[in-house]
Amino acid sequence: MTASSPTLPTDEHSSLPASPNRQLSIPPPPARPAFDPSSIKDPRERKASEWIEEAEAYLRKHMVGDLADALVRLWIEFEGRLGYPGNSERIPKPGRPAEVDWWQKRGRDYSKFPPVQPPDEYFKTWFAWYQGLQPAGCRCDSAWPLPRDDSDAQTDWTILKKGGPNGIFIVLLTLAFWADGLQTSAEIDIYESAMADVTWVLKTMLDLLGGGKRKMAGDGDSADVGKRSKRRTK
């Protein structure tokens, strides 16, 4: 199925974040690895988290932009909050960028990088898949950025609240692949807006997890959270 093209904001009324790095030669700010396996005391969790160190290095190598470090750190915190669930959790595969399948079929080899389709085509595929992972109030198949639903504290993040190598890490992996072909300022802006969106999603889910004290909608109990900000205003 061919993904439809979402409507993007015009320059005059754009709600995309400003792009401070207009040159692709500017790498993400230098950052030390955030994952520290020695801090994990539970042997089961330590074993289940063994893949994260190499995965973090791969994301840091290929992601670009000022949000890269913060996004990776939020992801590592998210994995820890979930207790390093291992391979059992999965976000839906149908419709995701084919580059993920290419990489997985080669044994998830972190020394390999897939051939990536042009950024405009990649975004169409990525957008159709990504928006379908969102809670109902945050979906929109015809416009980007996506809406943010702050009307219901019980927003159900069950689809995206998945840890492990088949969980939300796959979303970050698609951002790493996407960065490879960026050339124009417009392409960089769309990419950075996607980075900002995934950052918001992780922050929101971490707020709902509440350091292990608050459960998220979909876990069986109510989530004790306040309203969240919006991704865009109409």
Side-chain angles (χ1 to χ4, degrees):
M1 180 180 296
T2 302
S4 59
S5 301
T7 301
L8 301 174
T10 64
D11 290 340
E12 298 142 328
H13 305 291
S14 176
S15 58
L16 296 179
S19 176
N21 291 344
R22 309 302 289 190
Q23 301 296 323
L24 285 175
S25 59
I26 300 177
R32 292 181 298 174
F35 180 64
D36 179 12
S38 66
S39 66
I40 303 173
K41 306 306 180 186
D42 186 298
R44 183 202 64 81
E45 290 189 358
R46 192 180 305 116
K47 179 68 176 177
S49 70
E50 287 179 346
W51 65 280
I52 292 179
E53 191 169 7
E54 197 171 12
E56 178 188 2
Y58 191 79
L59 294 176
R60 290 189 181 281
K61 178 179 180 180
H62 295 292
M63 281 182 173
V64 298
D66 291 338
L67 286 174
D69 178 56
L71 179 53
V72 171
R73 288 178 180 275
L74 284 169
W75 161 65
I76 290 172
E77 182 181 354
F78 181 74
E79 295 286 345
R81 293 275 189 94
L82 293 179
Y84 306 102
N87 294 319
S88 60
E89 299 189 345
R90 297 175 182 272
I91 59 173
K93 174 181 176 179
R96 73 185 181 189
E99 288 80 357
V100 177
D101 295 325
W102 185 99
W103 182 75
Q104 288 185 334
K105 288 176 181 177
R106 286 156 180 80
R108 295 174 172 259
D109 187 340
Y110 289 105
S111 69
K112 297 184 182 299
F113 195 87
V116 181
Q117 57 189 316
D120 57 340
E121 295 300 318
Y122 189 94
F123 173 65
K124 291 176 187 177
T125 302
W126 183 88
F127 168 80
W129 172 68
Y130 178 72
Q131 70 86 25
L133 304 177
Q134 306 296 312
C138 298
R139 294 177 187 170
C140 179
D141 63 3
S142 60
W144 177 267
L146 296 173
R148 288 183 178 171
D149 181 9
D150 64 355
S151 63
D152 184 0
Q154 303 306 313
T155 298
D156 188 350
W157 289 95
T158 304
I159 294 176
L160 277 168
K161 197 208 69 178
K162 301 288 194 301
N166 298 307
I168 201 168
F169 165 71
I170 296 296
V171 176
L172 275 69
L173 185 69
T174 62
L175 294 174
F177 293 158
W178 184 353
D180 183 64
L182 299 175
Q183 296 184 21
T184 69
S185 294
E187 291 169 356
I188 298 169
D189 282 342
I190 297 296
Y191 175 79
E192 290 189 342
S193 73
M195 294 277 283
D197 198 271
V198 177
T199 298
W200 179 83
V201 166
L202 275 168
K203 283 183 176 179
T204 300
M205 292 194 294
L206 281 166
D207 286 346
L208 289 164
L209 281 167
K213 296 179 181 178
R214 293 173 295 192
K215 291 189 176 182
M216 301 178 66
D219 283 345
D221 292 336
S222 297
D224 180 18
V225 295
K227 287 189 175 182
R228 302 180 295 282
S229 61
K230 294 183 178 180
R231 299 184 198 182
R232 69 171 179 177
T233 56
K234 295 183 179 179

